[in-house]
Amino acid sequence: MASVQSEGVEVLRVATGVPVAGSRLANSLPVANTNLSVLRGRSKTLQGERVNDTVGSSQLQRFVGNGKSLREYPNITIIDLLGIAAGVSDVMSSDGNAQLGVYINNRAAVFLGEEFTMPSLVELAIQAEDAGFGFVAVGDSVLAKPRFAPIVTLAAVAAVTRRIGLTTGILQPHLHHLVTLAQELATLDVISAGRTSLGVGLGTGPRDLVDAELALVGLSRKTRARAFEETISALIMLLSGGPTNFNGEVYKLTDVDAGYRPVQRPGPPIVIACGAYVPLEAGQGPNDVRNSTTIGKFTGPLERVVRLGDGWVTGMATPSEWRSMWQKMVASANAVGRSINTPTFERRVNCFVNVGDNQERARQEGKAFLEAYHRLPMDDETLDRWLISGPAEVCVERFRQFIDVGVNSFQLVLASSRQQEQLARVAEGILPDIHRDDGATELSAGAARTAPNVMPNGGDK
């Protein structure tokens, strides 16, 4: 259990976002002789006692939402706060635990038709929260893999949930207008009372459709990486509030003020997608970066994460490949005076999962889902790397291999048209062994930005 001193308030960080100096909640607390402990999940325990039970001389108080003032409780020592997250959270890295999140699949809600609708998606999010998952995620694509709009979808989820983190996994920020995207993200963070994080990436899909969606916003494959980085830098500035001046190669802003700010200060954490594997066989797998230097390799611009990220998300790596890239990333960060090998730096692996007693049936169902989702064929090499399938104990062992090399977060894409059934299987067979209530914490909700704001070409406030 981590602890931090902040303006006389001792904050014990166990799970959800923890208010620290400068946050709205910390400012509402009497700072003298106040201990604040934030407990995780719907089933809250402390030394064997449950919420609303007395522990020693202190009464556990439970506050839900954003409209509760703590000023009238000067002697509270233990409080569970749901939905008021505006600070820093910790995760374990090597104690055998990891955060589990669920991709609630705004893409499947389009291509599965009546099997999985938008109401089904919202209900899946509620189910995930009730089961104790750490976050829910949605994705983003305009033409390559159409889906319901990510920020609007998360706003719907925010309205019916209280604790669970909300993230994009991933959003393609370069496909959106800079200022309106900043406003939408700030709005979502306010609606959810600070439960958001922002997973961002370049995106993939059928090459012709990727080219078409880039052309919609005046970009190409040659310019998208630069546009992606500039978008992140400009978003950081816009979300921090006040007039923004940004002079990039692709984007330019002069004295632009988004008008309002997110709950989290200076802004929600940004988790950057980095790393792609290109199968040996041409035409297989999801990635559109095939050339003579990438075939059969797991590669990516890791320095981008070091410069701009509060976390890293990737997929299709083996545990040894993941460890190798992470070690290089840590060394790169150390070389520029930044420490990322810390519990608060999210290290998320995105993977597809199908839990079933019959190994081959689970694999084939997962394959069919991947191919429908990505509109591309998936060979055995891709499935071996990206799909975790079979009996629960087999899946747990696969997750353990990643945890052993330092992964502290998983984004699970349920690889089945029967989304609710798969979530129930994961909750029963995997969640208790991976996402434990013994000190594991949640990164997505309320983990304020920690990365340096590196702005290209003279961006300033």
Side-chain angles (χ1 to χ4, degrees):
M1 183 183 299
S3 174
V4 60
Q5 291 289 334
S6 173
E7 293 186 1
V9 180
E10 183 182 13
V11 181
L12 299 178
R13 297 197 296 252
V14 183
T16 54
V18 177
V20 294
S23 73
R24 182 190 60 235
L25 184 58
N27 291 338
S28 73
L29 279 169
V31 298
N33 302 317
T34 303
N35 292 330
L36 176 64
S37 181
V38 182
L39 307 180
R40 170 158 65 97
R42 289 287 179 96
S43 177
K44 316 257 181 335
T45 62
L46 184 72
Q47 299 175 355
E49 303 292 336
R50 304 188 74 81
V51 168
N52 296 325
D53 290 341
T54 299
V55 178
S57 60
S58 304
Q59 180 71 28
L60 288 173
Q61 301 287 340
R62 190 168 187 263
F63 293 89
V64 181
N66 211 18
K68 307 291 184 181
S69 171
L70 303 181
R71 292 184 183 278
E72 57 191 293
Y73 300 101
N75 297 316
I76 286 177
T77 58
I78 303 168
I79 301 171
D80 167 40
L81 295 156
L82 300 183
I84 310 178
V88 180
S89 62
D90 277 347
V91 294
M92 65 292 127
S93 57
S94 60
D95 61 1
N97 297 303
Q99 175 180 226
L100 285 188
V102 178
Y103 186 79
I104 51 175
N105 221 319
N106 51 328
R107 165 96 175 109
V110 171
F111 75 78
L112 285 179
E114 292 303 311
E115 286 187 274
F116 186 67
T117 62
M118 177 58 80
S120 304
L121 179 155
V122 173
E123 182 58 36
L124 191 71
I126 297 172
Q127 184 181 345
E129 179 172 69
D130 288 342
F133 287 89
F135 65 89
V136 292
V138 296
D140 183 31
S141 180
V142 178
L143 299 177
K145 292 172 284 187
R147 66 199 69 205
F148 288 115
I151 305 302
V152 179
T153 300
L154 287 178
V157 171
V160 296
T161 57
R162 300 178 300 175
R163 174 198 61 82
I164 199 162
L166 310 173
T167 190
T168 52
I170 49 113
L171 181 85
Q172 298 183 68
H174 50 288
L175 298 183
H176 300 264
H177 189 283
L178 267 175
V179 179
T180 55
L181 178 58
Q183 292 175 326
E184 289 173 0
L185 292 170
T187 301
L188 177 63
D189 202 54
V190 171
I191 290 172
S192 67
R195 287 187 281 144
T196 67
S197 67
L198 181 62
V200 294
L202 289 178
T204 63
R207 291 184 65 88
D208 57 335
L209 294 176
V210 170
D211 289 340
E213 67 181 9
L214 289 171
L216 287 176
V217 291
L219 298 175
S220 68
R221 291 176 188 276
K222 291 183 179 180
T223 58
R224 69 173 174 176
R226 181 65 185 180
F228 173 70
E229 291 196 7
E230 288 189 12
T231 303
I232 296 171
S233 295
L235 277 175
I236 291 170
M237 299 171 70
L238 288 164
L239 290 170
S240 68
T244 293
N245 293 288
F246 186 86
N247 185 28
E249 294 180 13
V250 182
Y251 303 109
K252 300 182 187 300
L253 300 173
T254 302
D255 201 27
V256 174
D257 190 340
Y260 48 90
R261 298 184 63 183
V263 170
Q264 298 177 80
R265 303 298 173 86
I270 296 177
V271 181
I272 297 180
C274 173
Y277 180 81
V278 178
L280 297 172
E281 184 180 349
Q284 301 290 324
N287 294 312
D288 61 349
V289 291
R290 186 179 185 86
N291 58 55
S292 60
T293 64
T294 60
I295 296 173
K297 297 178 182 178
F298 179 77
T299 61
L302 56 86
E303 55 80 30
R304 178 183 294 155
V305 179
V306 172
R307 283 189 292 108
L308 297 171
D310 303 297
W312 171 39
V313 57
T314 194
M316 291 188 69
T318 65
S320 61
E321 289 169 342
W322 187 95
R323 177 174 54 191
S324 177
M325 180 167 279
W326 173 242
Q327 289 171 341
K328 292 176 183 177
M329 204 175 290
V330 169
S332 178
N334 289 341
V336 296
R338 185 184 180 204
S339 176
I340 62 172
N341 193 20
T342 65
T344 55
F345 192 89
E346 183 169 7
R347 303 183 288 279
R348 186 193 308 174
V349 165
N350 173 77
C351 57
F352 287 75
V353 62
N354 186 298
V355 179
D357 293 335
N358 186 297
Q359 179 78 52
E360 183 59 26
R361 188 179 303 141
R363 182 178 173 92
Q364 289 307 313
E365 183 179 18
K367 176 182 180 180
F369 186 88
L370 265 89
E371 291 182 336
Y373 182 100
H374 290 283
R375 306 167 88 172
L376 291 165
M378 301 288 159
D379 61 349
D380 285 339
E381 188 180 19
T382 298
L383 296 178
D384 290 342
R385 286 173 166 270
W386 214 7
L387 174 65
I388 295 178
S389 61
E393 60 271 19
V394 173
C395 296
V396 167
E397 177 56 32
R398 289 283 302 277
F399 289 121
R400 287 279 174 215
Q401 292 171 10
F402 283 101
I403 292 172
D404 287 346
V405 297
V407 171
N408 61 20
S409 178
F410 293 97
Q411 178 175 294
L412 307 183
V413 185
L414 305 171
S416 169
S417 60
R418 300 187 299 274
Q419 293 279 294
Q420 280 86 358
E421 178 183 315
Q422 268 301 309
L423 182 64
R425 292 182 183 180
V426 172
E428 178 182 359
I430 296 175
L431 188 68
D433 287 315
I434 303 297
H435 187 119
R436 296 174 178 165
D437 240 1
D438 58 0
T441 60
E442 298 169 75
L443 283 156
S444 296
R449 281 192 47 76
T450 59
N453 296 347
V454 181
M455 307 304 165
N457 298 337
D460 61 79
K461 294 300 294 180

